């Protein structure tokens, strides 16, 4: 099976590219460590949204939240020892912890890997709200006939919803390929779950056709600029489109999701039913998968590269309502609505290379649950 071919050489090249091209940091180069600590009573009353395109971001001390600060050193050491580069905890939008390791800092960028799939899921919801797409439309309506090597009858059964839920029935062993010759038949659409990058990647082409706008332009105007994200999409080979950004931009998107697609006073998604569908089980084979989001607290789960069904929740040590953007080698956005929490982790693989879930998730949440005193 082919997977995202990230190499150290590529990462160094892309990070260097950002130093030259990224403009958001030029807009405010003030010391990001000098943050205002707001009144505790105000924090418990409202969700905070950091200003767009600014390094200003209110903070909150862990002691004000009655977290167990005696556990903090253990958590920080664990993250550093597990190849972490950036780690952020938001509570109701305010930064409680922001740690950088191994020469990384708030202005450096890193790849999201498959955690970036959730950005495409969100922009698809925006196009749906604008009535530019219908999830039950055949993908062929946008990509034309012959975008796969299937028979016309088989191909017409594949819909946008199948692409979002990883149920196209296409052969996932050609993992990243997006050309017709390698998009071959395994099962009728809607009859199996298999993690497959190619059909996902083509969702961006679907959006380009549906919006009559380049996907990157649609993403930038509808999502990125609205919440003050930095970063860019980069083709890491001839097929994959991978998002790179700072850790704070990742946290901004997590905050948007925690608030159900509403940023401050603006509803960017305008579609609560789509949000609910995106963050609940999307098909009967993998209970822990929505529309490109991973879901905790379900009765079973499947993982990329396998058709094995595992019993129990995705991360048993984490809150049941956690939803997650999971990327190769432990790129993480955890969103926990019941706790008003967003947690971001960027870095190298904590242990062995992986494509979504790893033992790191369980171990980290053991420490986080003790630190934040979550039962």
């Amino acid at each position: 099976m082919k997977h995202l071919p990230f190499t150290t050489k590529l990462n160094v090249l892309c990070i260097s590219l950002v130093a030259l091209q990224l403009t958001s940091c030029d807009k405010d180069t003030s010391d990001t460590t000098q943050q205002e600590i707001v009144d505790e009573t105000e924090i418990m009353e409202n969700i905070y949204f950091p200003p767009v395109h600014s390094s200003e971001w209110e903070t909150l001390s862990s002691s004000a939240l009655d977290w167990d600060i005696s556990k903090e050193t253990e958590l920080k050491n664990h993250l550093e020892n597990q190849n972490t580069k950036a780690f952020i905890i938001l509570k109701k939008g305010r930064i409680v912890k922001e740690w950088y390791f191994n020469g990384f800092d708030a202005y450096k960028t890193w790849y999201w890997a498959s955690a970036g799939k959730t950005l495409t899921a969100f922009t698809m919801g925006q196009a749906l709200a604008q009535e530019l797409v219908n999830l039950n439309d055949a993908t062929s309506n946008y990509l034309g006939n012959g975008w796969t090597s299937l028979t016309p009858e088989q191909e017409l059964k594949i819909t946008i919803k199948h692409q979002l839920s990883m149920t196209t029935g296409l052969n996932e062993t050609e993992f990243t390929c997006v050309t017709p010759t390698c998009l071959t038949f395994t099962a009728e659409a809607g009859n199996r779950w298999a993690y497959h990058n190619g059909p996902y990647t083509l969702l961006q082409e679907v959006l380009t056709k549906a919006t009559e706008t380049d996907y990157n332009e649609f993403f930038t105007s509808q999502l990125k600029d609205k919440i003050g994200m930095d970063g860019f999409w980069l083709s890491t080979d001839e097929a994959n489109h991978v998002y790179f950004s700072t850790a704070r931009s990742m946290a901004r998107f997590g905050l948007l999701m925690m608030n159900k697609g509403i940023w401050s006073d603006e509803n960017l998604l305008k579609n609560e039913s789509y949000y609910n569908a995106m963050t609940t089980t999307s098909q009967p084979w993998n209970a822990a998968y929505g529309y490109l989001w991973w879901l905790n607290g379900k009765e079973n789960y499947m993982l990329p590269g396998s058709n094995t069904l595992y019993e129990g929740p995705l991360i048993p040590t984490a809150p049941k309502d956690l939803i997650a953007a999971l990327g190769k080698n432990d790129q993480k956005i955890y969103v926990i609505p019941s706790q008003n929490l967003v947690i971001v982790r960027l870095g190298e693989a904590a242990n062995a290379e992986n494509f979504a879930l790893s033992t790191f998730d369980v171990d980290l949440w053991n420490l986080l649950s003790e630190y934040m005193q979550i039962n």
Side-chain angles (χ1 to χ4, degrees), residues 62-81:
S62 53
S63 58
L65 295 167
D66 293 324
W67 290 358
D68 187 351
I69 58 176
S70 70
K71 301 291 185 181
E72 196 169 289
T73 299
E74 183 183 4
L75 172 62
K76 189 173 184 180
N77 288 342
H78 177 76
L79 289 163
E80 185 169 19
N81 293 335

Side-chain angles (χ1 to χ4, degrees), residues 14-73:
C14 294
I15 292 169
S16 299
L17 214 93
V18 176
L20 295 173
Q21 294 182 343
L22 193 60
T23 58
S24 63
C25 295
D26 295 334
K27 297 179 182 178
D28 188 342
T29 57
S30 60
D31 184 359
T32 61
T33 64
Q34 296 180 359
Q35 307 291 347
E36 178 185 359
I37 307 232
V38 297
D39 184 81
E40 182 180 352
T41 57
E42 180 189 347
I43 289 163
M44 306 318 294
E45 293 173 356
N46 63 83
I47 295 175
Y48 167 79
F49 297 91
V52 174
H53 300 308
S54 169
S55 64
E56 179 185 345
W57 202 313
E58 290 181 0
T59 63
L60 171 65
S61 70
S62 53
S63 58
L65 295 167
D66 293 324
W67 290 358
D68 187 351
I69 58 176
S70 70
K71 301 291 185 181
E72 196 169 289
T73 299

Side-chain angles (χ1 to χ4, degrees), residues 92-107:
K92 283 203 166 182
R94 295 172 176 86
I95 295 175
V96 183
K97 290 298 166 188
E98 183 175 26
W99 292 327
Y100 297 98
F101 308 94
N102 303 311
F104 211 71
D105 61 44
Y107 294 109

Side-chain angles (χ1 to χ4, degrees), residues 34-193:
Q34 296 180 359
Q35 307 291 347
E36 178 185 359
I37 307 232
V38 297
D39 184 81
E40 182 180 352
T41 57
E42 180 189 347
I43 289 163
M44 306 318 294
E45 293 173 356
N46 63 83
I47 295 175
Y48 167 79
F49 297 91
V52 174
H53 300 308
S54 169
S55 64
E56 179 185 345
W57 202 313
E58 290 181 0
T59 63
L60 171 65
S61 70
S62 53
S63 58
L65 295 167
D66 293 324
W67 290 358
D68 187 351
I69 58 176
S70 70
K71 301 291 185 181
E72 196 169 289
T73 299
E74 183 183 4
L75 172 62
K76 189 173 184 180
N77 288 342
H78 177 76
L79 289 163
E80 185 169 19
N81 293 335
Q82 297 295 305
N83 302 317
T84 301
K85 291 184 178 293
F87 185 77
I88 297 175
I89 301 177
L90 303 184
K91 178 73 171 182
K92 283 203 166 182
R94 295 172 176 86
I95 295 175
V96 183
K97 290 298 166 188
E98 183 175 26
W99 292 327
Y100 297 98
F101 308 94
N102 303 311
F104 211 71
D105 61 44
Y107 294 109
K108 290 185 178 177
T109 66
W110 195 250
Y111 65 87
W112 290 36
S114 287
K117 286 180 168 66
T118 57
L119 295 169
T120 303
F122 193 93
T123 51
M124 182 61 74
Q126 292 178 298
L128 179 66
Q130 296 173 37
E131 299 183 349
L132 300 173
V133 297
N134 185 310
L135 300 192
N136 294 316
D137 283 347
T139 302
S140 298
N141 290 0
Y142 303 90
L143 302 186
N145 298 328
W147 68 275
T148 71
S149 63
L150 277 59
T151 66
E153 293 76 17
Q154 292 169 337
E155 186 177 271
L156 278 171
K157 292 180 180 179
I158 300 175
T159 66
I160 295 173
K161 184 177 179 179
H162 292 138
Q163 291 174 272
L164 287 167
S165 58
M166 297 286 179
T167 56
T168 62
L170 296 168
N171 187 346
E172 74 277 12
T173 59
E174 294 283 356
F175 185 66
T176 63
C177 187
V178 294
T179 59
T181 55
C182 55
L183 294 172
T184 58
F185 182 84
T186 293
E188 187 172 290
N191 280 272
R192 69 190 287 264
W193 184 91

